[in-house]
Each structure stands twice: as structure tokens, then as C-alpha cells.
Amino acid sequence: MANLYDYAYDLEKAIRNSEEFNGLKEAYEAVMNDEAAKKMFDDFRQTQITLQQKQMQGEEISEEEVEQARKVVELVQQHPQISKLMEEEQRLNTVINDISRIITKPLEELYGNPEEPQQ
């Protein structure tokens, strides 16, 4: 039987060669090659990172910060290249989440649903 890590590396290669990953890569490159889109995307990412860090540190996020983040999200969603990038990222995330559910199925079966009694 092959080593589990070998399967993991095979899965990594399959993801790299997938339509979903290649669509994301093309969309990302399109944004990075457009100076205005890149700046807008970088601002969006920085806003996300800042809010996530505050949340992780247990800091309060002000209404002003929430409103600013909402405006940044609205702005990037209106940009066709960034919107496409976000769609492609969501598409790949769906695949990765599905794969995660598949590979954790043995644990789920072993431990079962805590609300259902074991037989």
C-alpha cells in the first residue's frame, strides 16, 4: 500500500492541474497585471487581514471599520477582474471543502454523529 503522503502529493498535483485551480491562476494573473485592479485588490486584502487580526486578538471592531470594509467589498465586487477572481477562488474552495469532507469521512464514521447513539 502506498504511503498516505504519496497520495497527498498526488492530490496536490491534481489540484494544480485542475480546471478550478487554473481558472483561479488566470484570474489572479489578470488582476496582478492591471495596475488599478492590483491596487484595489491589495487594499481589499489588507482590510481583510487587519480585521482578522483584530478579531483574533479579541479587539473590538468599530462600526466605522465595518462600514469601511463594506465599502471596500462593494468596490472590488464591481470590478470585473476582481469579481472574476473571487468567483474562481470560491469555486476552488468548494472543491477543497468537498475533498476535505471526503478525506475526513473515516473519522466521521469512527466517531459518528454525537447526537446519534452508537450501535
Side-chain angles (χ1 to χ4, degrees), residues 6-113:
D6 293 338
Y7 289 125
Y9 285 115
D10 288 344
L11 181 56
E12 181 226 355
K13 287 178 201 161
I15 290 171
R16 284 183 189 277
N17 293 321
S18 72
E19 181 182 312
E20 292 83 0
F21 180 78
N22 284 305
L24 176 60
K25 188 175 174 185
E26 286 174 17
Y28 179 79
E29 289 169 355
V31 168
M32 293 299 113
N33 290 326
D34 178 320
E35 198 171 313
K38 181 182 182 316
K39 181 178 179 354
M40 196 181 293
F41 182 70
D42 288 345
D43 290 346
F44 167 70
R45 293 285 297 140
Q46 188 56 52
T47 299
Q48 278 186 316
I49 290 167
T50 300
L51 292 180
Q52 285 173 349
Q53 286 174 339
K54 285 187 97 168
Q55 229 175 5
M56 288 171 51
Q57 294 170 355
E59 293 179 32
E60 193 77 21
I61 297 173
S62 71
E63 279 297 318
E64 185 179 301
E65 289 171 314
V66 170
E67 182 61 25
Q68 180 62 31
R70 189 186 62 72
K71 287 178 182 176
V72 170
V73 169
E74 282 180 13
L75 190 62
V76 297
Q77 287 176 335
Q78 291 174 13
H79 193 289
Q81 288 173 313
I82 298 173
S83 182
K84 173 76 171 161
L85 173 60
M86 293 169 89
E87 288 171 23
E88 293 295 331
E89 184 177 330
Q90 182 58 49
R91 209 169 134 218
L92 181 60
N93 279 335
T94 298
V95 170
I96 290 172
N97 287 334
D98 290 347
I99 291 168
S100 179
R101 271 193 295 280
I102 292 166
I103 63 176
T104 58
K105 193 171 184 171
L107 290 173
E108 211 175 287
E109 290 172 354
L110 178 64
Y111 291 111
N113 185 335

